[in-house]
Amino acid sequence: MSLATSPSPYGRTPLHAVQVLGGGSAGSSTHVRSLASGLAARGVRVTVCAPAEAERLYAFSGVGAQHVSVPRSAEPACLAALRLTCADADVVHAHGLHAGLRAALALSGRRTPLVVTWHIRGHAEGARARLLRVLERRVAKAASVVLGTSSDLVDRARRHGARDARLAAIALPAPRKAVDRDDPDLRRPKLRAELGAVDRPLLMAVGALEHHRGYDVLLDACRALRHYDPVPLLVIAGEGPLRAEIGRRIEAEDLPVRLLGRRDDVRELLTAADLALVPSRWESRSVLAQEALHARVPLVATAVGGMRELVGDAAELVPYGDADALAAAVVRLLDDPVRQERLKDRGEQQAATWPTEDDTVTQVLSVYDELTQMWPFGQA
C-alpha cells in the first residue's frame, strides 16, 4: 500500500492538503518535502504545486505526494492552473510570501482555508520595501492562519493584520543521503586537505551570495584575521548575484577566502570546519546554525531575528555589521579550546530541545483539523 493511499484517520475521503511553493528556497523546499512525507504517511492526500525544477531537486512525488508543475508567476495562466489544482482542496498551505499571494488570488471567492508559513523575512529598500510591506499585509490578512518560523515573524504578521499568527514547529529534516562516517578521523583531514586548510584553522559560511547575508562584513572580518597566526581560511558554500563582486574583492585584497559555489555536501564539509559563521542581517531558523550545533562545530553568528531564540547560549553572538566584533569572537574561540568544548556541549543540549519532524507534522495536522472543522471538507 502506498503512502498516498494509506487509510485516512478521518473515517472518510482523505483530507486533501495542497502545498504551494514559490521559487522554492532550499529551506522551504526541504521543509515541504518533509511535511509532505509526514502528512502522506498519516493518510492525508498531498499535492505540491511547485516549479518543475523544484520537483527535480526535491522529489516530492517520491514521498507520497502528487506534484503539479506551476511556475512561480502571478500571470493569469499560472493562477488558473493553481486555482484548478486547489478546486477540491480541503486546505491550502502556502510557503513564503509570494506563494501566499498567489494562493490567496487563486482562492479568491472560495471559502477554502489558507495557511501561510513565513519562512524568512523579505529584504528590500526604497520603493521595493514599500511594495514588500503591502505584500506582507495582503498575505497576512488573507491567511486563515500564519505560521512564523520565529517569534519576530509572528509579531510582524500580527502587526500586518493577521487574524491568527502562531510560532511554527519547524524541524531540521534528516539528510536525504547518508553521509559517509565510516572513519571520521580519516575523513576530516582528507576534506581539510581538499579545501586547502591542512595547517590552519578552517572557517565555514553557507548561503546565497546576496546582500542581506552580510558577506561584506564577513570579508572585512577576514581582512582583520590576516594578522592571526596561522591565518584562518574561510570557505563559503553558495551561489548568487554577488559572486563576481565578492570574487573581485577577494582577489584585490588577497583575502584568505575560497568560494565553493553551490554544494550538496554541506553537512559533510561542516564536519571538517573549526568554526561555523553566520554574519546575516536577519535569520529565522538558520540551517547552518542548526547543522553546526548538531555536528558539534562552534558557531559565531549575528544576534538578529530568531537567532538567539534558536541557539540560546550555545553560540557566540555578535551585533550585525560589526566586523571587529565578528573577528574578535573568532579569535577568542580559536584561542580557547575549553570554550569551544563548552559550546559544543551546549549545542548538543540546545539541539535536543528543537522540534522533530514528527512535531512539525503534528502541529500542522492540528491546524488543518481546526480549520476544516470550521469549513467542512469540499465546501467552496
Side-chain angles (χ1 to χ4, degrees), residues 161-377:
R163 70 190 91 167
D164 187 340
R166 313 176 191 182
L167 185 64
I170 301 292
L172 179 67
R176 291 173 58 187
K177 295 181 180 179
V179 174
D180 181 9
R181 300 183 185 275
D182 290 342
D183 196 340
D185 291 335
L186 293 178
R187 185 60 180 153
R188 176 179 163 89
K190 182 179 178 181
L191 281 171
R192 291 176 69 91
E194 292 173 355
L195 296 171
V198 175
D199 297 313
R200 61 197 300 194
L202 179 62
L203 316 178
M204 185 172 180
V206 178
L209 305 183
E210 299 174 342
H211 285 290
H212 71 274
R213 293 290 184 178
Y215 288 124
D216 54 340
V217 180
L218 184 54
L219 295 185
D220 288 343
C222 284
R223 186 171 56 199
L225 289 171
R226 289 183 304 188
H227 302 293
Y228 191 85
D229 185 22
V231 179
L233 172 67
L234 169 69
V235 295
I236 302 175
E239 276 293 353
L242 295 183
R243 183 182 178 95
E245 178 182 329
I246 292 174
R248 285 193 297 268
R249 183 174 171 192
I250 292 170
E251 184 175 359
E253 300 180 25
D254 192 25
L255 298 176
V257 180
R258 283 190 60 190
L259 299 179
L260 303 181
R262 182 175 287 108
R263 301 288 295 247
D264 59 5
D265 59 346
V266 168
R267 292 190 185 204
E268 187 173 10
L269 291 175
L270 188 57
T271 63
D274 294 294
L275 302 179
L277 308 181
V278 180
S280 306
R281 182 190 308 170
W282 184 89
E283 287 284 351
S284 175
R285 297 189 67 83
S286 164
V287 173
L288 179 60
Q290 294 178 77
E291 297 280 17
L293 268 59
H294 273 297
R296 291 180 59 84
V297 176
L299 172 69
V300 179
T302 44
V304 296
M307 185 61 76
R308 189 178 298 278
E309 182 178 34
L310 177 68
V311 304
D313 63 353
E316 290 278 354
L317 298 182
V318 300
Y320 168 73
D322 192 333
D324 291 337
L326 180 56
V330 169
V331 170
R332 279 199 306 272
L333 278 178
L334 292 179
D335 285 343
D336 191 347
V338 173
R339 172 67 174 165
Q340 290 185 42
E341 289 302 315
R342 188 179 303 124
L343 286 181
K344 291 176 184 179
D345 292 340
R346 289 178 181 173
E348 281 193 324
Q349 295 167 6
Q350 183 70 12
T353 70
W354 294 337
T356 64
E357 290 183 87
D358 188 63
D359 292 333
T360 299
V361 176
T362 298
Q363 183 199 38
V364 168
L365 266 179
S366 176
V367 172
Y368 292 176
D369 280 345
E370 183 181 326
L371 293 175
T372 53
Q373 287 171 12
M374 295 169 60
W375 287 289
F377 297 177

Side-chain angles (χ1 to χ4, degrees), residues 13-229:
T13 302
L15 180 142
H16 183 201
V18 174
Q19 309 291 319
V20 182
L21 271 170
S25 67
S28 59
S29 296
T30 303
H31 169 69
V32 169
R33 186 181 194 275
S34 170
L35 182 59
S37 177
L39 290 172
R42 287 161 176 77
V44 177
R45 177 185 163 208
V46 182
T47 300
V48 177
C49 294
E53 178 64 16
E55 168 65 11
R56 287 193 291 271
L57 290 173
Y58 298 97
F60 306 112
S61 57
V63 295
Q66 177 188 6
H67 171 253
V68 175
S69 181
V70 179
R72 181 187 180 183
S73 172
E75 294 181 358
C78 295
L79 290 178
L82 185 58
R83 186 174 177 84
L84 180 62
T85 303
C86 296
D88 67 339
D90 298 304
V91 63
V92 175
H93 191 164
H95 298 265
L97 287 176
H98 291 283
L101 177 63
R102 292 189 298 115
L105 292 173
L107 293 176
S108 178
R110 296 178 176 175
R111 295 188 61 201
T112 308
L114 172 63
V115 179
V116 178
T117 297
W118 283 15
H119 291 270
I120 62 173
R121 177 179 171 181
H123 300 276
E125 297 178 356
R128 293 186 63 187
R130 290 191 291 274
L131 288 173
L132 178 61
R133 288 193 292 273
V134 171
L135 171 62
E136 289 177 334
R137 286 194 294 271
R138 177 72 181 271
V139 172
K141 291 179 179 180
S144 307
V145 174
V146 174
L147 297 175
T149 56
S150 60
S151 293
D152 65 319
L153 282 179
V154 173
D155 292 340
R156 190 176 184 87
R158 288 171 178 159
R159 289 197 302 271
H160 283 309
R163 70 190 91 167
D164 187 340
R166 313 176 191 182
L167 185 64
I170 301 292
L172 179 67
R176 291 173 58 187
K177 295 181 180 179
V179 174
D180 181 9
R181 300 183 185 275
D182 290 342
D183 196 340
D185 291 335
L186 293 178
R187 185 60 180 153
R188 176 179 163 89
K190 182 179 178 181
L191 281 171
R192 291 176 69 91
E194 292 173 355
L195 296 171
V198 175
D199 297 313
R200 61 197 300 194
L202 179 62
L203 316 178
M204 185 172 180
V206 178
L209 305 183
E210 299 174 342
H211 285 290
H212 71 274
R213 293 290 184 178
Y215 288 124
D216 54 340
V217 180
L218 184 54
L219 295 185
D220 288 343
C222 284
R223 186 171 56 199
L225 289 171
R226 289 183 304 188
H227 302 293
Y228 191 85
D229 185 22

